[in-house]
């Protein structure tokens, strides 16, 4: 059978990578759900959330009825297996505290978080690319100083906690200068949370990008392209950036997952509606179905983004180095 009929080795490579990622999704979701289930059960009895929280003064009969209704009168193993079955069928049950189907709560709270994480992801990449391109192309007398300054900024950005950066932005832009709102669901209310999430990831991506791009700038294929009359802009976008971006693209799945988890802190800090605030409130009252549903959704999105990152890396990789 010919290569055209059977498919090229390169196509087989990306198909195998996607299959491996999809198979790993099962383990990721199972491990995540298991850890959350036993951690919340160890933190206390969820019957308090069902009965209205501490101090509800529910009668013994009402408490017993609620335990039977939600299956909390069964053994912990039976409850665990039941929870896994619900996850497999995407039926997370009803919220203990809100008395609503968990799937409805997730449908309402996931889109704002995905929007925030996606905008932050795009901004992080843009900031990283601008910083690295400036640093690599810095020439002349102040070239070394510019590179050192940008490297210092990238390092500080990558290690700055998001809650600390968010608090600084609120104090500066919302309280002192009053040019941007600290809260709100409109476009203006997205700016500070997006910057808060994007800056640390941008610093990390810039560190990953700088070395490969600096090497690619002086690589033989770049020198050949210049000798053929290609402009520096064309060399950058057609040759050097494609090679240099591969490590950062490979880490994009991790970066997006980090943005989703960081949204928990940022949404609480900026009082934004979203999955982060929903999980924070649910964890406080030990609302097990909501917490498990939320973390499973985050895990699924994380795996999906990892698959997309693998595909993107393969597509961007120059043909001569594809495996």
């Amino acid at each position: 059978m010919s290569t055209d009929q059977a498919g090229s080795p390169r196509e087989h490579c990306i198909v195998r990578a996607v299959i491996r990622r999809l198979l790993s999704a099962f383990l990721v979701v199972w491990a995540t759900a298991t850890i959350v289930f036993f951690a919340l059960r160890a933190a206390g009895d969820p019957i308090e959330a069902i009965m209205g929280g501490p101090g509800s003064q529910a009668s013994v009969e009402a408490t017993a009825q609620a335990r039977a209704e939600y299956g909390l009168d069964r053994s912990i193993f039976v409850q665990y297996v039941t929870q896994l079955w619900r996850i497999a069928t995407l039926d997370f049950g009803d919220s203990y505290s809100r008395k609503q189907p968990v799937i409805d709560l997730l449908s309402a709270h996931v889109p704002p978080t995905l929007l925030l994480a996606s905008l932050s992801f795009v901004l992080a990449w843009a900031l990283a690319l601008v910083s690295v391109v400036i640093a690599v192309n810095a020439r002349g007398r102040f070239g070394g100083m510019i590179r050192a300054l940008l490297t210092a900024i990238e390092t500080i950005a990558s290690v700055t906690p998001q809650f600390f950066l968010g608090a600084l932005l609120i104090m500066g832009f919302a309280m002192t200068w009053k040019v941007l709102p600290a809260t709100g669901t409109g476009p203006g209310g997205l700016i500070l949370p997006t910057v808060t999430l994007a800056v640390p990831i941008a610093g990390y991506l810039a560190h990953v990008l700088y070395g490969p791009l600096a090497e690619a700038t002086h690589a033989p294929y770049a020198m050949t392209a210049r000798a053929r009359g290609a402009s520096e802009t064309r060399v950058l976008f057609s040759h050097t950036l494609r090679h240099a971006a591969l490590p950062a693209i490979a880490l994009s799945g991790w970066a997006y997952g980090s943005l989703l988890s960081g949204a928990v802190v940022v949404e609480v800090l900026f009082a934004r509606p979203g999955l982060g605030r929903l999980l924070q409130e649910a964890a406080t009252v030990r609302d097990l179905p909501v917490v498990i549903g939320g973390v499973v959704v985050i895990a699924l999105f994380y795996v999906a983004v990892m698959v997309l990152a693998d595909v993107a890396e393969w597509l961007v990789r120059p043909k001569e180095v594809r495996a």
Side-chain angles (χ1 to χ4, degrees), residues 176-226:
T176 303
W177 298 312
K178 298 181 180 180
V179 294
L180 291 172
T183 60
T185 57
L190 268 172
I191 296 176
L192 292 183
T194 299
V195 173
T196 299
L197 279 174
V199 167
I201 298 298
Y204 186 84
L205 290 176
H207 273 299
V208 176
L209 280 168
Y210 177 76
L213 186 59
E215 293 178 4
T217 301
H218 303 289
Y221 52 82
M223 304 296 288
T224 301
R226 294 189 187 94

Side-chain angles (χ1 to χ4, degrees), residues 14 17-18 20-22 24-25 28-29 110 113-115 117-122 125 201 205 248-261 296-314:
I14 190 61
V18 171
R20 284 196 301 268
R21 289 294 188 191
L22 293 177
S24 69
V28 171
V29 172
V110 168
T113 298
L114 289 182
L115 174 62
S118 300
L119 290 176
S120 302
F121 182 76
V122 173
W125 260 99
I201 298 298
L205 290 176
I249 292 175
L251 291 172
S252 291
W254 165 85
Y256 195 85
S258 178
L259 291 172
L260 284 175
S261 60
V296 166
V297 167
I298 290 176
L300 289 175
F301 274 110
Y302 175 74
V303 173
V305 173
M306 292 295 289
V307 172
L308 293 177
D310 286 342
V311 175
E313 181 190 2
W314 186 83

Side-chain angles (χ1 to χ4, degrees), residues 8-312:
S8 69
R10 290 172 293 189
E11 291 173 345
H12 290 164
C13 179
I14 190 61
V15 169
R16 287 195 299 269
V18 171
I19 292 175
R20 284 196 301 268
R21 289 294 188 191
L22 293 177
L23 291 177
S24 69
F26 170 79
L27 292 177
V28 171
V29 172
W30 170 77
T32 302
T34 300
I35 292 171
V36 171
F37 177 86
F38 287 105
L40 286 183
R41 289 309 306 267
D45 193 346
I47 196 65
E48 288 185 357
I50 298 174
M51 304 310 296
S56 62
Q57 297 181 350
S59 65
V60 176
E61 293 78 8
T63 301
Q65 182 179 356
R67 285 188 183 278
E69 180 181 351
Y70 286 90
L72 297 176
D73 56 342
R74 303 173 183 174
S75 69
I76 190 69
F77 176 76
V78 172
Q79 294 180 45
Y80 170 66
V81 172
T82 302
Q83 189 65 60
L84 290 182
W85 173 251
R86 286 178 174 175
I87 293 172
T89 58
L90 294 181
D91 177 16
F92 300 109
D94 293 338
S95 165
Y96 291 164
S97 59
R98 298 180 182 235
K99 306 299 188 291
Q100 294 177 251
V102 173
I103 196 68
D104 292 344
L105 292 172
L106 295 178
S107 298
H109 288 82
V110 168
T113 298
L114 289 182
L115 174 62
L116 177 60
S118 300
L119 290 176
S120 302
F121 182 76
V122 173
L123 179 60
W125 260 99
L127 292 174
L129 287 174
V130 169
S131 174
V132 169
V133 170
I134 292 175
V136 169
N137 292 280
R139 297 288 189 272
R141 173 176 184 185
F142 299 103
M145 185 183 300
I146 293 174
R147 284 192 295 272
L149 177 61
L150 289 174
T151 300
I153 294 174
E154 293 162 5
T155 302
I156 294 172
S158 63
V159 300
T160 301
Q162 290 168 333
F163 69 88
F164 178 72
L165 177 60
L168 289 180
L169 293 176
I170 290 174
M171 287 189 293
F173 291 93
M175 299 176 63
T176 303
W177 298 312
K178 298 181 180 180
V179 294
L180 291 172
T183 60
T185 57
L190 268 172
I191 296 176
L192 292 183
T194 299
V195 173
T196 299
L197 279 174
V199 167
I201 298 298
Y204 186 84
L205 290 176
H207 273 299
V208 176
L209 280 168
Y210 177 76
L213 186 59
E215 293 178 4
T217 301
H218 303 289
Y221 52 82
M223 304 296 288
T224 301
R226 294 189 187 94
R228 292 175 179 174
S231 64
E232 287 297 325
T233 301
R234 183 169 183 178
V235 171
L236 173 66
F237 289 102
S238 298
H239 300 281
T240 58
L241 192 57
R242 290 187 66 183
H243 288 77
L246 292 177
I249 292 175
L251 291 172
S252 291
W254 165 85
Y256 195 85
S258 178
L259 291 172
L260 284 175
S261 60
V264 175
V265 176
V266 171
E267 286 175 353
V268 173
L269 181 63
F270 289 92
R272 286 192 55 79
L275 186 57
R277 288 189 67 191
L278 178 67
L279 286 177
Q280 185 265 336
E281 294 171 0
T284 301
V285 298
R286 296 191 291 275
D287 196 336
L288 187 64
V290 174
V291 176
I292 288 184
V295 296
V296 166
V297 167
I298 290 176
L300 289 175
F301 274 110
Y302 175 74
V303 173
V305 173
M306 292 295 289
V307 172
L308 293 177
D310 286 342
V311 175

